[in-house]
Amino acid sequence: MVNMDFSKKLLQWSGRENVRHMPWKGEKNPYRIWLSEIILQQTRVEQGWAYYEKFIKSYPNLKSLASAKEKEVFKLWEGLGYYSRCRNLLATAKIIVREYKGVFPDNYEEILKLPGIGPYTAAAIASFAFGLPHAVVDGNVHRLLSRYFGIRMPMRSAKDKRLFQTLADALLDKKDPGKYNQAIMDFGALICKPANPLCTSCVQSKNCQAFQHQWVNILPLKEKMPARKERWFYYFIVTAGDGKYLIRERKDKDIWKNLYEFVLWETGKLMPQQQIRESGFVQENFGKTGFQILHISDEMMQILTHQTIHGCFVHIRLKKPARCLKNYLLIPADQLDQYPFPGLISSYLKSGIIT
Ligand code: SF4
């Protein structure tokens, strides 16, 4: 049987050759597994590793995370992107403390109800922590199964996802689901890689449809990406000359919610420096003559999955407090590093332009 052959060879490979080391591998503590899985959503292992260690050090258990200050958790998450994960992390920790007496739920259905946890993460926690028979289907597994079985289907619709989930569940070793799930993910990451998979030395090559029919480079079928949105953010770094700066928390339903920023003017296009100086935004917020523009930075850029953010920083000194002041916090320069900022702003601050 091909299926049995696939699973058997996968486990044999894992036992003999799988040397992939990660700090959460083999972990049984559901809190640590959950933390690592949330960090690894949309993040490469190499980047997530240091964040995982920082979080475990600062919040060694679920209760310490649930009672942490939101601003501090976001600060620790800074640079990792996809901040909804951080919001969900905090929400889930609080729910477990409040509704489950601080004990991580030990069944798939309850785990799946928690914020930020989809079928993949629920299966990972259920199988790694509790040995439950739920197969993981992430990008690695989708790629490997598409190639091995010659399936020409992306993972776009609910129907596509169901097909891959059914197949993965059928292949799962029910005796040790955690070990099997780890093996299939590692195999996808180390052997059946997105580019240059190691087909000639692969233990699955004999029955692999993609290898046998030269489909390796066309499988898995890719999803069409939506058009990228371009946005222009002009940040005014405002001070009244007393070494304090205006910042506020982003609260709207948009990118970077809960992170902090300087006074923002979002325009639909690139603005030449002269237009920034003479713009209605500047005059409305800072008056016609009550300010001095000290410096305008070069354009910077942050690329997100579906958006490109063009950013520019305008240093401005006010003669007296501006109208926009009331919605902002006034923070001394040496305390700015205590606040979580989007990557665009934190890299600008790291250049030491504000001291
Ligand atoms: S033969 Fe190549 S494409 Fe097929 S499973 Fe192995 S690495 Fe992947």
Side-chain angles (χ1 to χ4, degrees):
M1 278 269 292
V2 170
N3 287 1
M4 295 311 294
D5 189 61
F6 173 87
S7 305
K8 196 169 128 201
K9 287 200 172 122
L10 180 71
L11 290 170
Q12 283 171 347
W13 166 83
S14 190
R16 272 198 315 253
E17 298 170 46
N18 185 1
V19 290
R20 195 177 186 209
H21 170 65
M22 295 173 291
W24 48 83
K25 199 165 163 179
E27 184 61 65
K28 296 284 175 209
N29 178 330
Y31 168 68
R32 289 177 170 231
I33 295 165
W34 164 67
L35 188 59
S36 69
E37 292 298 341
I38 301 296
I39 288 173
L40 292 180
Q41 289 170 357
Q42 320 276 355
T43 296
R44 285 174 298 106
V45 166
E46 299 73 35
Q47 194 196 3
W49 191 311
Y51 281 87
Y52 172 79
E53 290 182 335
K54 274 196 297 185
F55 264 81
I56 289 295
K57 195 163 167 227
S58 301
Y59 310 114
N61 52 48
L62 203 117
K63 282 182 188 155
S64 55
L65 178 60
S67 59
K69 284 198 181 123
E70 192 175 288
K71 187 182 92 181
E72 285 167 11
V73 179
F74 273 93
K75 185 67 194 169
L76 212 57
W77 193 273
E78 192 183 81
L80 204 51
Y82 296 98
Y83 288 87
S84 57
R85 292 181 294 171
C86 190
R87 275 190 290 284
N88 288 331
L89 209 61
L90 279 160
T92 292
K94 287 182 203 302
I95 288 171
I96 295 177
V97 166
R98 198 175 57 237
E99 295 176 21
Y100 296 87
K101 297 192 174 115
V103 179
F104 217 99
D106 62 0
N107 67 80
Y108 178 85
E109 290 72 22
E110 291 294 313
I111 297 170
L112 191 57
K113 284 185 200 162
L114 296 165
I117 296 188
Y120 160 77
T121 306
I125 299 168
S127 63
F128 295 147
F130 306 114
L132 297 172
H134 294 276
V136 291
V137 181
D138 67 348
N140 284 326
V141 176
H142 172 235
R143 182 173 62 252
L144 173 56
L145 297 185
S146 291
R147 286 173 175 168
Y148 184 85
F149 291 99
I151 305 169
R152 290 162 177 265
M153 210 181 257
M155 274 227 296
R156 199 166 30 226
S157 67
K159 193 170 146 232
D160 301 342
K161 287 179 186 157
R162 264 200 310 278
L163 181 136
F164 280 101
Q165 188 65 59
T166 306
L167 180 56
D169 282 334
L171 294 165
L172 182 72
D173 175 18
K174 311 289 187 298
K175 288 202 281 304
D176 196 341
K179 193 167 154 193
Y180 175 90
N181 276 339
Q182 189 63 61
I184 195 166
M185 288 194 289
D186 289 346
F187 195 89
L190 298 176
I191 309 293
C192 197
K193 300 182 287 181
N196 306 318
L198 310 181
C199 298
T200 48
S201 58
C202 173
V203 294
Q204 307 283 14
S205 62
K206 194 165 147 254
N207 289 317
C208 173
Q209 296 303 301
F211 182 66
Q212 294 301 330
H213 300 286
Q214 284 90 48
W215 297 336
V216 174
N217 291 331
I218 56 165
L219 291 177
L221 286 193
K222 307 272 182 309
E223 288 184 50
K224 277 207 186 91
M225 295 294 278
R228 179 174 287 281
K229 191 173 166 190
E230 305 274 330
R231 298 173 75 178
W232 281 265
F233 284 11
Y234 288 85
Y235 278 120
F236 290 83
I237 302 186
V238 183
T239 178
D242 54 0
K244 292 182 179 164
Y245 293 87
L246 294 175
I247 62 169
R248 70 167 179 190
E249 187 181 354
R250 284 175 68 88
K251 296 212 162 131
D252 294 342
K253 206 169 168 230
D254 191 6
I255 55 167
W256 303 336
K257 191 176 166 203
N258 300 116
L259 301 189
Y260 286 73
E261 65 182 1
F262 296 103
V263 179
L264 171 64
W265 178 34
E266 181 174 358
T267 65
K269 57 182 181 161
L270 176 72
M271 302 295 288
Q273 289 202 2
Q274 196 53 33
Q275 277 188 31
I276 297 172
R277 292 172 194 275
E278 294 168 358
S279 70
F281 178 87
V282 167
Q283 300 199 0
E284 202 176 296
N285 288 288
F286 310 125
K288 284 204 168 104
T289 53
F291 66 88
Q292 186 189 1
I293 291 182
L294 305 172
H295 173 68
I296 299 179
S297 76
D298 291 336
E299 187 190 318
M300 296 173 74
M301 203 191 278
Q302 184 171 351
I303 296 178
L304 308 174
T305 311
H306 303 305
Q307 305 186 22
T308 299
I309 310 298
H310 304 267
C312 186
F313 294 88
V314 183
H315 292 250
I316 186 162
R317 179 180 291 150
L318 304 182
K319 291 187 183 149
K320 57 181 185 188
R323 248 184 292 158
C324 61
L325 190 85
K326 61 181 183 296
N327 298 322
Y328 285 77
L329 305 167
L330 256 180
I331 303 298
D334 62 356
Q335 288 176 25
L336 285 173
D337 63 359
Q338 294 172 16
Y339 290 79
F341 290 105
L344 187 74
I345 298 180
S346 58
S347 23
Y348 188 67
L349 291 178
K350 274 183 197 138
S351 67
I353 197 105
I354 299 176
T355 47

